[in-house]
Amino acid sequence: MSAVWAAVLLVGAGSYLLRAAPFLLAHRLVVPDRMAGVLRDAGIAALAALLATSVARVGVQSAGAERAVVLLALLSAAVAGLAGRSVHAVLLVGGAVYVVGSMAATAL
Amino acid sequence: MTAPSLVLPSRAFLDGASAMAALLVGLVPFGLIVGMAAGASDAPVAAVAGTWLIYSGSAHLAVLGGLSAGEGLLAVVAAGLSVNVRLLAYSATLSARLRHETTRFRALAAALVVDPLWALVTARAPADGVRRYYLGAGLVLWFGWAAAVGTGAVLGQHAALAQAAAVGVPLCMVTLVAPHARSRRGAACVGAGAAVGLLSAGLPAGTGVLASMVAGALAGAVVTALVRRAA
């Protein structure tokens, strides 16, 4: 067996165990509300960390007007999301700002 | 003669599928990039199989990157699992909402758990249609992600994809994170998670996310305590 197969199978099996353990024990274990809140907070923070590092990557990989346009698009999407808009609306706002901003940056 | 009955997907299923399909547009470039890395692997079939087996773009890339850098098997497996430890918190939250489903359904549902699904279900699934919303969103992401990675493996290297992913991935993440930041507690978790994520970016794969999860849980606990005291 190649190292790639071994790694994929081991990480895949471990990942499924991480995913499945709470699901398969759910009917036996009742997670207290307080613990459920802590897990939810931890999940939100994990997503925020992934978001922050992906935004930081934008700062490194792009420059000048391109970087400003991407950040403006992300900011617009964040405002729409914080306003409680739907998934479609948030993506549409961010995408539209990016397209219009890129066209403007190219024209200038 | 009776007309054959037509079984239509429920509203909740379609809502979940539709929300995830919109997100998928932004995630496709990332899937293509994961696919390009898989296609360039020494064992492309095994690397592409990771799409279903690992089912997490960041962990999949950590495994492929480690292998291509010549790291040992144990180090690669440890890195991949560290990146995916966050799934335990996601599953624990989601399983509470699907506690009354059958064991077979819960075993299937577990295989679909990943960041976008967790964020959508916890923030937007209707209380009376969690199962169907979950399946609609989860299946669209499962098949859509696999299609994107498979396409990337076939297409090979394209510089334009990196640019598309640079916009699409953070845009999807903003869409997923923003609804959770509407409460004071959620905003504190987002702030703490983002700050620790940035500060720990140079640490080994997965470590930063784990540190962020601890920081987010602490921030949530502090805000909850402050709100209780104020009340």
Side-chain angles (χ1 to χ4, degrees):
Chain A
M1 182 189 287
S2 73
V4 182
W5 267 118
V8 164
L9 288 173
L10 287 171
V11 175
S15 299
Y16 184 72
L17 283 178
L18 290 171
R19 289 176 163 109
F23 274 94
L24 298 178
L25 296 173
H27 62 297
R28 291 185 199 167
L29 293 175
V30 177
V31 179
D33 286 346
R34 197 167 174 175
M35 178 55 77
V38 169
L39 290 169
R40 188 181 158 94
D41 291 344
I44 294 170
L47 274 180
L50 294 173
L51 167 63
T53 49
S54 67
V55 172
R57 216 169 289 132
V58 171
V60 173
Q61 290 176 347
S62 55
E66 173 64 22
R67 181 193 297 166
V69 169
V70 174
L71 294 178
L72 185 62
L74 297 179
L75 189 63
S76 310
V79 169
L82 286 170
R85 301 297 175 210
S86 70
V87 169
H88 301 85
V90 175
L91 289 170
L92 198 63
V93 166
V97 169
Y98 176 71
V99 170
V100 171
S102 297
M103 288 165 66
T106 308
L108 289 175
Chain B
M1 193 172 106
T2 55
S5 61
L6 184 64
V7 180
L8 294 172
S10 74
R11 177 65 191 261
F13 182 93
L14 292 176
D15 283 348
S18 168
M20 190 59 83
L23 277 175
L24 202 53
V25 174
L27 292 172
V28 159
F30 183 41
L32 292 170
I33 286 172
V34 174
M36 289 189 302
S41 163
D42 295 337
V45 175
V48 171
T51 311
W52 294 279
L53 295 170
I54 299 173
Y55 194 48
S56 158
S58 47
H60 199 174
L61 275 183
V63 167
L64 296 177
L67 288 169
S68 70
E71 290 177 15
L73 181 63
L74 278 180
V76 168
V77 171
L81 289 177
S82 300
V83 173
N84 271 353
V85 163
R86 73 193 187 286
L87 300 176
L88 189 61
Y90 295 163
S91 285
T93 317
L94 291 171
S95 63
R97 300 189 72 175
L98 296 167
R99 185 184 306 135
H100 303 296
E101 301 296 339
T102 62
T103 304
R104 186 182 297 179
F105 180 85
R106 284 184 275 118
L108 165 71
L112 301 175
V113 173
V114 73
D115 312 73
L117 183 66
W118 178 81
L120 274 187
V121 171
T122 52
R124 298 180 187 272
D128 59 348
V130 176
R131 174 193 166 108
R132 288 177 171 152
Y133 190 96
Y134 189 101
L135 271 183
L139 290 176
V140 165
L141 184 59
W142 177 264
F143 288 109
W145 179 254
V149 175
T151 305
V154 172
L155 282 179
Q157 300 289 330
H158 280 275
L161 288 177
Q163 178 57 31
V167 183
V169 173
L171 185 55
C172 287
M173 298 302 293
V174 165
T175 308
L176 295 172
V177 170
H180 291 284
R182 296 182 72 200
S183 67
R184 261 186 274 181
R185 179 174 173 170
C189 296
V190 169
V196 173
L198 285 175
L199 290 172
S200 57
L203 297 178
T207 318
V209 174
L210 283 178
S212 298
M213 290 170 75
V214 173
L218 287 173
V222 167
V223 169
T224 305
L226 289 175
V227 168
R228 276 199 192 130
R229 188 176 293 175

